[in-house]
Structure formats: C-alpha cells, structure tokens
Amino acid sequence: MNPFVDRADKVRKILSYIPGKAKGYSGLIKALYLTENDGVLAALGESLEITDFELGQPLEFVPVASPPSDMQYNMKRNPRGTLLIIEVREFDDNTGMNTRRGSQLDFAALDALFKKLYFNVKHHLNPTAEEIQQCIRKYAAEENHASSDCAIVVVLSHGSEGHIYGKDGQPVSIENNIIAPILGCHNLKDKPKVFLFQACRSGPAMPLATNDLIIKKPLTSDVLIACATQMGESAHRSVDEGSWFIRSICTIFWGNAHTQDLLSMITMAYCLIKKKTESEKRDQIGIVESTLLKKVYFHPH
C-alpha cells in the first residue's frame, strides 16, 4: 500500500475518534498547518477547506459565545473600520536601499485577513516620505471614523530607530508623523487604535528636521503599538513567505480570532516568531506597547 495514503488513512482514523468532530477536526488541521505538515494536509485532499492564507481563503472562523460586554470594546459594526496599509516595497536608485522582496506577500495576507474581519482596506504603495505624512493626515481626518469601531495602521518599510523610510529614502518620525496625528482624531476617542510596524529598528537615530520638533506623546488610552522587533534590531523577511512578523500575525489571527483577543494573539504571534528564530538560527523578538482598557475581539462570523 502507498505509505503516503496509508498515513492519511491513519489521520482519518484518528479524526473519527475525536469527540465533537467539528471542533477537534479544525484544531488538528490548524496544528498540521502551523507545523508545516504539508504532506499530511495534501493527503487529506477534499476533506479540507483550507488553502494557504496568502491566497485569501484560509481556515474558516468558528463563532463562539462573546465575552462580557463590559470587558470588551464594541466591535460589531460592518465595516469595523478602515485598515490603512502603507507599503514601501521599492526605493529610488539614489537611496542605496534594497527592494523589499516578499513584501507583496505581506500585503496580500493582510488584505485577505482584514477583509474577512470586516474592515475596509486602503493600500498606499511606494509613497515618498512626504506622501506618507499626507496619507496619515488624510486618514486621521476621515469622517467615517465616527461610524467605525476601530482604526488600524500597518507600515511595511525599511526603518531605523524611531523612523521608517519613504521611497525617496527620507525618514518619517513614527511617533510624531504616524502615531500622533491619529491619536488626535476626535472621532476615534475611546476606540482602539492599533499600529503594526514591520521594519528594522537598527541603525542610528535620524537627525530631526527643522519642522520635526520633538513632541511628547500624551498619556493616551486605547492604543496598541506592535513592532516586529526591538530597538536596535533587524526584522527578518523571506522572499517566498513574506516577513516573519506579518506572516505570524496572519497565521495566528486566522486560527484564533474567533476565541482570542488582540493582545493575546499578538503575544502568540511573537511566540511563533521565537520558534522561527530557533529553526533559522537568527534573532528577532518583537515588542508591544498597550494602553488598551478593554479587550479587542474581532468577532468574525
């Protein structure tokens, strides 16, 4: 007998003994997926309802009972809000900065995930530093934040301490020019504001321009900032899989958004990155800063 088919038959036999098959089945499939047992997954064939998350049709969410309402932000509107993705994939030749190969996979994964989570998605590809700042100001001023539950900004670019770069190689202050304008949005008061940064944080801090004065970040609640790596370190990216951080975020969210809150899933994603560092023999540890006062559940249906 074909050993490959025999192995799949053994898996099917195991599944038949799992109580509450629907729940156990999805749990096993998720485990096989996350541990990259592609051979077993392929052998299961038509019994699976899963493809690679980068194609936008990953594991379906399973609805469960909601936690107490006084412990969670309201996240029931459709759309929940707008996800803004600022992606700098290619840089001007005179900058000396390399093309961020594999970044298109990060965008595809984020786009598929957050549309499934009932977010509108806006994508700005290869903006200059000035265009990034204009994009953030425009996003912060949008009136539709009044009828949304949440705001999410994802930045994919090269970076250094405290800055990310536009396609022209010019720096943009993360705190002053990306975070601060959105914290000042009145229509987002008391709503979760989430920032994800996929960028290296190594290299010297950039000198401030004359119009880039130091702004002391106010003590603001309802904010979560998650970075791919810690200050002074690199954020790894694969040509074939995208960045470790975004891939881990998308993998964990697809498998857990129906049961886990945002901060817990970010922690789980960092654990997944830690496993990646052990197998790749390369260091990367993310960091998250949160002033959320409640839990953020995405409530996929």
Side-chain angles (χ1 to χ4, degrees):
M1 185 175 182
N2 187 322
F4 188 67
V5 175
D6 182 56
R7 187 167 70 251
D9 288 338
K10 289 179 181 178
V11 173
R12 291 192 183 93
K13 186 174 182 180
I14 293 171
L15 289 173
S16 69
Y17 288 99
I18 297 176
K21 181 177 179 182
K23 181 177 180 181
Y25 184 81
S26 63
L28 177 60
I29 295 307
K30 183 177 72 174
L32 292 172
Y33 180 63
L34 295 180
T35 55
E36 299 181 353
N37 278 282
D38 297 330
V40 179
L41 287 172
L44 290 174
E46 295 180 355
S47 64
L48 291 176
E49 294 181 357
I50 178 174
T51 61
D52 192 288
F53 70 83
E54 291 166 359
L55 299 181
Q57 294 179 320
L59 289 170
E60 291 297 316
F61 298 115
V62 180
V64 296
S66 298
S69 59
D70 61 342
M71 294 177 60
Q72 61 177 310
Y73 290 96
N74 179 57
M75 290 285 286
K76 296 294 182 68
R77 290 172 175 166
N78 189 2
R80 306 283 191 262
T82 299
L83 165 68
L84 174 64
I85 301 175
I86 296 175
E87 179 192 5
V88 188
R89 189 184 307 167
E90 298 176 347
F91 295 81
D92 293 343
D93 292 340
N94 61 1
T95 65
M97 295 182 177
N98 296 327
T99 297
R100 299 181 58 257
R101 297 175 63 197
S103 182
Q104 73 278 7
L105 301 178
D106 285 350
F107 165 69
L110 290 165
D111 183 63
L113 171 66
F114 281 95
K115 283 179 178 176
K116 193 74 171 181
L117 293 174
Y118 300 98
F119 279 80
N120 291 328
V121 177
K122 291 188 176 180
H123 180 216
H124 291 265
L125 180 62
N126 297 331
T128 64
E130 178 57 34
E131 288 169 344
I132 290 174
Q133 296 178 63
Q134 292 174 358
C135 176
I136 290 292
R137 289 194 294 267
K138 183 177 179 180
Y139 178 77
E142 289 181 358
E143 291 296 329
N144 59 12
H145 289 310
S147 58
S148 69
D149 293 327
C150 177
I152 302 179
V153 175
V154 179
V155 178
L156 315 170
S157 185
H158 288 311
S160 60
E161 289 191 17
H163 293 79
I164 55 92
Y165 294 97
K167 73 181 294 286
D168 54 354
Q170 294 302 305
V172 177
S173 169
I174 291 174
E175 187 168 312
N176 296 346
N177 301 125
I178 295 178
I179 296 175
I182 294 171
L183 298 190
C185 175
H186 176 74
N187 287 329
L188 289 173
K189 186 177 185 297
D190 299 324
K191 299 177 182 180
K193 294 163 280 289
V194 180
F195 301 86
L196 306 179
F197 293 97
Q198 165 53 39
C200 293
R201 304 178 73 191
S202 56
M206 299 300 300
L208 295 174
T210 55
N211 61 345
D212 190 20
L213 301 178
I214 296 176
I215 300 174
K216 181 176 175 56
K217 186 166 59 179
L219 296 176
T220 305
S221 62
D222 314 304
V223 178
L224 184 144
I225 304 168
C227 297
T229 191
Q230 298 185 24
M231 195 71 76
E233 301 297 331
S234 299
H236 299 301
R237 172 174 31 84
S238 165
V239 173
D240 299 320
E241 297 182 345
S243 67
W244 293 8
F245 178 54
I246 297 301
R247 182 178 178 85
S248 296
I249 288 286
C250 292
T251 300
I252 292 297
F253 278 38
W254 274 116
N256 298 274
H258 56 289
T259 59
Q260 299 291 331
D261 69 283
L262 172 62
L263 187 54
S264 295
M265 290 192 291
I266 294 290
T267 303
M268 294 166 70
Y270 287 153
C271 288
L272 200 58
I273 294 172
K274 177 62 175 176
K275 293 179 180 179
K276 183 76 170 175
T277 66
E278 293 170 352
S279 64
E280 296 283 340
K281 308 300 182 185
R282 302 167 73 185
D283 291 332
Q284 181 175 327
I285 300 177
I287 189 167
V288 61
E289 176 183 358
S290 173
T291 61
L292 296 175
L293 302 180
K294 301 178 183 181
K295 293 183 179 293
V296 177
Y297 289 92
F298 288 104
H299 300 295
H301 302 308

